[in-house]
Coordinates of all heavy atoms in Angstrom, one line a residue:
G425 N -157.0 -23.2 -75.1 CA -156.8 -23.2 -76.5 C -155.7 -22.4 -77.0 O -155.3 -22.4 -78.2
E426 N -155.2 -21.5 -76.2 CA -154.1 -20.6 -76.5 C -152.7 -21.2 -75.9 O -152.7 -21.9 -74.9 CB -154.3 -19.2 -76.0 CG -155.6 -18.6 -76.7 CD -155.6 -17.1 -76.5 OE1 -154.6 -16.5 -76.0 OE2 -156.6 -16.5 -76.9
F427 N -151.6 -20.7 -76.6 CA -150.3 -21.1 -76.1 C -149.8 -20.1 -75.1 O -150.1 -18.9 -75.2 CB -149.4 -21.2 -77.3 CG -149.6 -22.4 -78.2 CD1 -150.0 -22.2 -79.5 CD2 -149.4 -23.7 -77.8 CE1 -150.3 -23.3 -80.4 CE2 -149.7 -24.7 -78.6 CZ -150.0 -24.5 -79.9
F428 N -148.9 -20.6 -74.2 CA -148.1 -19.7 -73.5 C -147.2 -19.0 -74.5 O -146.8 -19.6 -75.5 CB -147.4 -20.4 -72.4 CG -148.2 -21.3 -71.5 CD1 -148.0 -22.7 -71.4 CD2 -149.3 -20.8 -70.8 CE1 -148.8 -23.5 -70.7 CE2 -150.1 -21.6 -70.1 CZ -149.9 -22.9 -70.0
P429 N -146.6 -17.9 -74.2 CA -145.8 -17.2 -75.2 C -144.7 -18.1 -75.7 O -144.4 -18.2 -76.9 CB -145.3 -15.9 -74.5 CG -146.4 -15.7 -73.5 CD -146.9 -17.0 -73.1
E430 N -144.0 -18.7 -74.8 CA -142.8 -19.5 -75.2 C -143.3 -20.8 -75.9 O -142.7 -21.2 -76.9 CB -142.0 -19.9 -74.0 CG -141.3 -18.8 -73.2 CD -142.3 -18.0 -72.3 OE1 -143.4 -18.5 -72.2 OE2 -141.9 -17.0 -71.8
A431 N -144.4 -21.3 -75.5 CA -144.9 -22.6 -76.1 C -145.3 -22.3 -77.5 O -145.3 -23.2 -78.4 CB -146.1 -23.2 -75.3
A432 N -145.8 -21.1 -77.8 CA -146.2 -20.7 -79.2 C -145.0 -20.9 -80.1 O -145.1 -21.3 -81.3 CB -146.8 -19.3 -79.2
Q433 N -143.8 -20.4 -79.6 CA -142.6 -20.6 -80.4 C -142.3 -22.1 -80.7 O -141.9 -22.4 -81.8 CB -141.4 -20.0 -79.7 CG -141.6 -18.4 -79.5 CD -140.4 -17.9 -78.7 OE1 -139.3 -18.2 -79.0 NE2 -140.7 -17.2 -77.6
I434 N -142.5 -22.9 -79.7 CA -142.3 -24.3 -79.8 C -143.2 -24.9 -80.9 O -142.8 -25.6 -81.8 CB -142.5 -25.0 -78.5 CG1 -141.6 -24.5 -77.4 CG2 -142.3 -26.5 -78.6 CD1 -141.9 -24.8 -76.0
A435 N -144.5 -24.6 -80.7 CA -145.5 -25.1 -81.7 C -145.2 -24.6 -83.1 O -145.3 -25.4 -84.1 CB -146.9 -24.6 -81.2
Y436 N -144.8 -23.4 -83.2 CA -144.4 -22.8 -84.6 C -143.3 -23.6 -85.2 O -143.3 -24.1 -86.3 CB -144.1 -21.4 -84.5 CG -143.8 -20.7 -85.8 CD1 -144.8 -20.2 -86.6 CD2 -142.5 -20.6 -86.3 CE1 -144.5 -19.5 -87.8 CE2 -142.2 -20.0 -87.5 CZ -143.3 -19.5 -88.2 OH -143.0 -18.9 -89.4
K437 N -142.3 -23.9 -84.4 CA -141.1 -24.6 -84.8 C -141.4 -26.1 -85.2 O -140.9 -26.6 -86.1 CB -140.0 -24.5 -83.8 CG -138.7 -25.1 -84.3 CD -138.0 -24.2 -85.3 CE -136.7 -24.8 -85.8 NZ -136.1 -24.0 -86.9
M438 N -142.3 -26.6 -84.4 CA -142.8 -28.0 -84.6 C -143.4 -28.2 -86.0 O -143.1 -29.1 -86.7 CB -143.7 -28.5 -83.5 CG -143.0 -28.8 -82.2 SD -144.2 -29.2 -80.9 CE -145.0 -30.7 -81.6
W439 N -144.3 -27.2 -86.3 CA -144.9 -27.3 -87.6 C -143.9 -27.1 -88.7 O -144.0 -27.8 -89.8 CB -146.0 -26.3 -87.8 CG -147.3 -26.7 -87.2 CD1 -148.0 -26.2 -86.0 CD2 -148.2 -27.8 -87.7 NE1 -149.1 -26.9 -85.8 CE2 -149.3 -27.8 -86.8 CE3 -148.1 -28.6 -88.8 CZ2 -150.3 -28.8 -87.0 CZ3 -149.1 -29.5 -89.0 CH2 -150.2 -29.6 -88.1
E440 N -142.9 -26.2 -88.5 CA -141.9 -26.0 -89.5 C -141.0 -27.3 -89.7 O -140.7 -27.7 -90.8 CB -140.9 -24.9 -89.0 CG -139.8 -24.5 -90.0 CD -139.0 -23.4 -89.5 OE1 -138.4 -23.5 -88.4 OE2 -139.0 -22.4 -90.2
T441 N -140.7 -28.0 -88.6 CA -139.9 -29.2 -88.6 C -140.8 -30.3 -89.4 O -140.2 -31.0 -90.1 CB -139.5 -29.7 -87.3 OG1 -138.8 -28.6 -86.6 CG2 -138.7 -30.9 -87.3
S442 N -142.1 -30.3 -89.1 CA -143.0 -31.2 -89.7 C -142.9 -31.1 -91.2 O -142.9 -32.1 -92.0 CB -144.4 -31.1 -89.2 OG -145.3 -31.9 -89.9
S443 N -142.9 -29.8 -91.7 CA -143.0 -29.6 -93.1 C -141.7 -29.9 -93.8 O -141.6 -30.2 -95.0 CB -143.3 -28.1 -93.3 OG -142.2 -27.3 -92.9
M444 N -140.6 -29.9 -93.0 CA -139.2 -30.2 -93.6 C -138.8 -31.7 -93.4 O -137.9 -32.2 -94.1 CB -138.2 -29.4 -92.9 CG -138.3 -27.9 -93.2 SD -136.9 -26.9 -92.6 CE -137.0 -27.3 -90.9
T445 N -139.5 -32.4 -92.5 CA -139.1 -33.8 -92.2 C -139.5 -34.7 -93.3 O -140.6 -34.7 -93.8 CB -139.7 -34.3 -90.9 OG1 -139.3 -33.4 -89.9 CG2 -139.3 -35.7 -90.6
K446 N -138.5 -35.5 -93.9 CA -138.8 -36.4 -94.9 C -138.8 -37.8 -94.3 O -137.8 -38.3 -93.8 CB -137.7 -36.4 -96.0 CG -137.4 -35.0 -96.6 CD -138.7 -34.5 -97.3 CE -138.4 -33.2 -98.0 NZ -139.6 -32.6 -98.5
V447 N -140.0 -38.4 -94.3 CA -140.2 -39.7 -93.6 C -140.3 -40.7 -94.7 O -141.1 -40.6 -95.7 CB -141.5 -39.7 -92.8 CG1 -141.7 -41.0 -92.1 CG2 -141.4 -38.6 -91.7
Q448 N -139.5 -41.8 -94.6 CA -139.6 -42.9 -95.5 C -140.7 -43.8 -95.1 O -140.6 -44.5 -94.0 CB -138.3 -43.7 -95.5 CG -138.3 -44.7 -96.6 CD -136.9 -45.5 -96.6 OE1 -136.0 -45.2 -95.8 NE2 -136.9 -46.6 -97.4
L449 N -141.8 -43.8 -95.9 CA -142.9 -44.7 -95.5 C -142.6 -46.1 -96.0 O -142.0 -46.4 -97.0 CB -144.2 -44.2 -96.3 CG -144.6 -42.8 -95.9 CD1 -145.9 -42.4 -96.7 CD2 -144.9 -42.7 -94.4
R450 N -143.0 -47.1 -95.1 CA -142.7 -48.5 -95.3 C -143.9 -49.3 -95.0 O -144.5 -49.2 -94.0 CB -141.5 -49.0 -94.5 CG -140.1 -48.5 -94.9 CD -139.1 -48.8 -93.9 NE -139.1 -50.3 -93.6 CZ -138.3 -50.8 -92.6 NH1 -137.5 -50.1 -91.9 NH2 -138.4 -52.1 -92.4
G451 N -144.2 -50.2 -95.9 CA -145.3 -51.2 -95.6 C -144.7 -52.4 -95.0 O -143.5 -52.5 -94.7
T452 N -145.5 -53.4 -94.7 CA -145.1 -54.6 -94.1 C -145.2 -55.8 -95.1 O -144.7 -56.9 -94.8 CB -145.9 -54.9 -92.8 OG1 -147.3 -54.9 -93.2 CG2 -145.6 -53.9 -91.8
V453 N -145.9 -55.6 -96.1 CA -146.1 -56.6 -97.2 C -145.4 -56.2 -98.4 O -145.6 -55.1 -98.9 CB -147.6 -56.9 -97.4 CG1 -147.8 -57.9 -98.6 CG2 -148.4 -57.3 -96.2
R454 N -144.6 -57.1 -99.0 CA -143.9 -56.8 -100.2 C -144.1 -57.9 -101.2 O -144.5 -59.0 -100.9 CB -142.3 -56.7 -99.9 CG -142.0 -55.6 -98.8 CD -140.5 -55.7 -98.4 NE -140.2 -54.7 -97.4 CZ -140.4 -54.9 -96.1 NH1 -141.0 -56.0 -95.6 NH2 -140.1 -53.9 -95.2
P455 N -143.7 -57.6 -102.5 CA -143.9 -58.7 -103.5 C -143.1 -59.9 -103.1 O -142.0 -59.8 -102.6 CB -143.3 -58.0 -104.8 CG -143.4 -56.5 -104.5 CD -143.2 -56.4 -103.1
Y456 N -143.7 -61.1 -103.4 CA -143.0 -62.4 -103.2 C -142.0 -62.6 -104.3 O -142.2 -62.5 -105.4 CB -144.1 -63.5 -103.2 CG -143.6 -64.8 -102.7 CD1 -143.2 -65.0 -101.4 CD2 -143.6 -65.9 -103.6 CE1 -142.7 -66.3 -101.0 CE2 -143.1 -67.2 -103.2 CZ -142.7 -67.3 -101.9 OH -142.2 -68.6 -101.5
Q457 N -140.8 -63.0 -103.8 CA -139.7 -63.1 -104.7 C -139.8 -64.1 -105.9 O -139.7 -63.8 -107.0 CB -138.4 -63.4 -104.0 CG -137.9 -62.2 -103.1 CD -137.6 -60.9 -103.9 OE1 -136.8 -61.0 -104.9 NE2 -138.2 -59.8 -103.6
N458 N -140.2 -65.3 -105.5 CA -140.3 -66.4 -106.5 C -141.8 -66.7 -106.8 O -142.3 -67.8 -106.7 CB -139.6 -67.7 -105.9 CG -138.2 -67.5 -105.6 OD1 -137.4 -67.0 -106.4 ND2 -137.8 -67.9 -104.4
F459 N -142.4 -65.6 -107.3 CA -143.8 -65.6 -107.5 C -144.2 -66.4 -108.7 O -143.6 -66.3 -109.8 CB -144.3 -64.1 -107.7 CG -145.8 -64.0 -108.0 CD1 -146.7 -64.6 -107.2 CD2 -146.2 -63.3 -109.1 CE1 -148.1 -64.4 -107.5 CE2 -147.5 -63.2 -109.5 CZ -148.5 -63.7 -108.6
D460 N -145.1 -67.3 -108.5 CA -145.7 -68.2 -109.6 C -147.2 -68.2 -109.5 O -147.7 -69.0 -108.7 CB -145.0 -69.6 -109.5 CG -145.5 -70.5 -110.7 OD1 -146.5 -70.2 -111.4 OD2 -144.9 -71.6 -110.8
P461 N -147.9 -67.3 -110.2 CA -149.3 -67.2 -110.1 C -150.1 -68.5 -110.3 O -151.1 -68.8 -109.7 CB -149.7 -66.1 -111.0 CG -148.6 -66.0 -112.0 CD -147.4 -66.4 -111.3
A462 N -149.6 -69.3 -111.3 CA -150.3 -70.5 -111.6 C -150.2 -71.5 -110.5 O -151.2 -72.2 -110.1 CB -149.7 -71.2 -112.9

Side-chain angles (χ1 to χ4, degrees):
E426 295 195 8
F427 289 115
F428 310 121
E430 296 80 6
Q433 297 176 49
I434 299 163
Y436 183 87
K437 188 68 178 177
M438 284 173 62
W439 277 111
E440 183 176 62
T441 305
S442 173
S443 68
M444 294 187 301
T445 301
K446 304 298 181 189
V447 179
Q448 183 181 358
L449 298 179
R450 286 174 54 189
T452 54
V453 175
R454 299 175 183 82
Y456 189 66
Q457 290 300 308
N458 300 311
F459 177 55
D460 183 343

